[in-house]
Amino acid sequence: MQSIQRQAVRTAGARLLKWIFWIAFTVLLVLFPRAASAGTIKLAWDPVGDTDLSGYRVYYGTTSRVYTNMLDVGMQTAATLNNLQDCTVYYLALKARDANGNESVAFSNEVSGMSAPEPASISPNSAVQGAGNVTVTITGNNFDTQARPDFGPGITVNSYGTTSCNRLQATISIDAAAWVNAPPAQPRAVGVLNQGGPRGQRSGAFTVLFDNKRSDIDHSGKVAARDVLYWRNAFGSILGDSSYNTAADLNGDGVVDGADLALLAVWHGTIFN
């Protein structure tokens, strides 16, 4: 009986040592840089290659290497932690377990981050095509020290920085032919991405306004028949076509169509100094 017990201890010890090796050297725990709800962190990891594996446990807390919470996720290799406090850095690590609940001795690598950023308002919330170095302030929750804003295609973020977990400032430049989000088009979403962590966004938060001088396609100083001719020659083309003309795509949506003609009609006859 004693020999059987010793053999069981040796077998269990070997299994744990095997897990120590796998956890220490091949399990990579990472945060998801994806959209998530406020109060959540999404994470994923490499699977453990052990035949005795029966599941994983995610440990987390607000102090490095001090984990006050545990989530057993079974055999999944991804997890979502919910109901997290705003503006609080969480530290997370992983352990593997067998069917009897025996855990690997070593934790995986530790990752840290705040829950999903939650942009609430942007000021100013609009800028005209071609505007450069516009300073905008984003307020909300869970902005870490490296939080980066994203205004979508056609808008370049020149610089950014947080003054607190509730306030982010950036300077942006709008491409001359950026997609116009003024009515009837919907305003664009603004995203915020924490360093190595989750992304949050605010729908309908920022509007790119039409630069009326772009209706003077031929740069003659007046919106007239020749501008309509330029539009007609490119009508029906999409970005990438040989006949596509960026100047004729006034609303910047990648298609030369009736929406661009409507803008020409609004400004037809206007003289620009």
Side-chain angles (χ1 to χ4, degrees):
M1 181 67 177
Q2 290 180 347
S3 63
I4 293 175
Q5 289 177 337
R6 285 196 295 270
Q7 179 62 36
V9 170
R10 282 197 295 270
T11 301
R15 183 165 64 246
L16 287 176
L17 287 173
K18 188 176 182 182
W19 278 355
I20 290 172
F21 173 79
W22 282 105
I23 289 291
F25 293 100
T26 65
V27 170
L28 179 62
L29 183 65
V30 296
L31 299 181
F32 267 144
R34 297 183 181 177
S37 302
T40 67
I41 289 178
K42 292 187 175 184
L43 60 154
W45 54 90
D46 295 336
V48 171
D50 193 304
T51 56
D52 293 324
L53 177 70
S54 185
Y56 303 95
R57 287 171 177 163
V58 178
Y59 287 84
Y60 60 102
T62 57
T63 303
S64 178
R65 301 299 177 185
V66 179
Y67 308 122
T68 55
N69 302 280
M70 185 273 288
L71 177 65
D72 193 311
V73 297
M75 292 295 289
Q76 298 180 82
T77 55
T80 300
L81 305 181
N82 297 307
N83 301 317
L84 302 178
Q85 296 178 8
D86 286 333
C87 291
T88 301
V89 176
Y90 284 86
Y91 299 85
L92 310 94
L94 187 75
K95 280 193 174 187
R97 63 166 175 81
D98 67 11
N100 294 319
N102 299 313
E103 292 185 340
S104 54
V105 174
F107 282 102
S108 69
N109 61 300
E110 182 182 76
V111 294
S112 62
M114 290 184 183
S115 58
E118 188 180 19
S121 65
I122 294 88
S123 180
N125 61 4
S126 65
V128 70
Q129 289 174 316
N133 291 317
V134 179
T135 299
V136 295
T137 299
I138 303 173
T139 59
N141 276 319
N142 302 321
F143 303 153
D144 71 14
T145 57
Q146 301 298 315
R148 174 170 55 87
D150 178 15
F151 289 79
I155 299 182
T156 301
V157 178
N158 303 317
S159 64
Y160 58 90
T162 54
T163 56
S164 72
C165 68
N166 307 113
R167 183 182 174 92
L168 169 63
Q169 281 196 320
T171 60
I172 61 174
S173 294
I174 319 297
D175 290 354
W179 171 39
V180 174
N181 312 112
Q186 294 297 311
R188 63 176 64 197
V190 174
V192 175
L193 178 68
N194 282 346
Q195 184 180 29
R199 172 191 171 96
Q201 70 177 30
R202 182 74 173 180
S203 299
F206 193 81
T207 298
V208 174
L209 303 170
F210 177 61
D211 176 12
N212 54 22
K213 290 185 178 180
R214 292 195 66 230
S215 57
D216 180 17
I217 299 174
D218 68 351
H219 304 293
S220 66
K222 182 179 180 179
V223 183
R226 187 175 178 84
D227 301 301
V228 178
L229 178 62
Y230 275 105
W231 169 84
R232 189 187 68 181
N233 290 340
F235 176 68
S237 63
I238 62 174
L239 183 66
D241 291 349
S242 58
S243 58
Y244 176 79
N245 183 351
T246 300
D249 182 12
L250 299 181
N251 68 352
D253 64 353
V255 182
V256 180
D257 57 12
D260 305 301
L261 180 61
L263 289 170
L264 277 175
V266 169
W267 298 99
H268 190 268
T270 301
I271 297 175
F272 297 106
N273 296 325

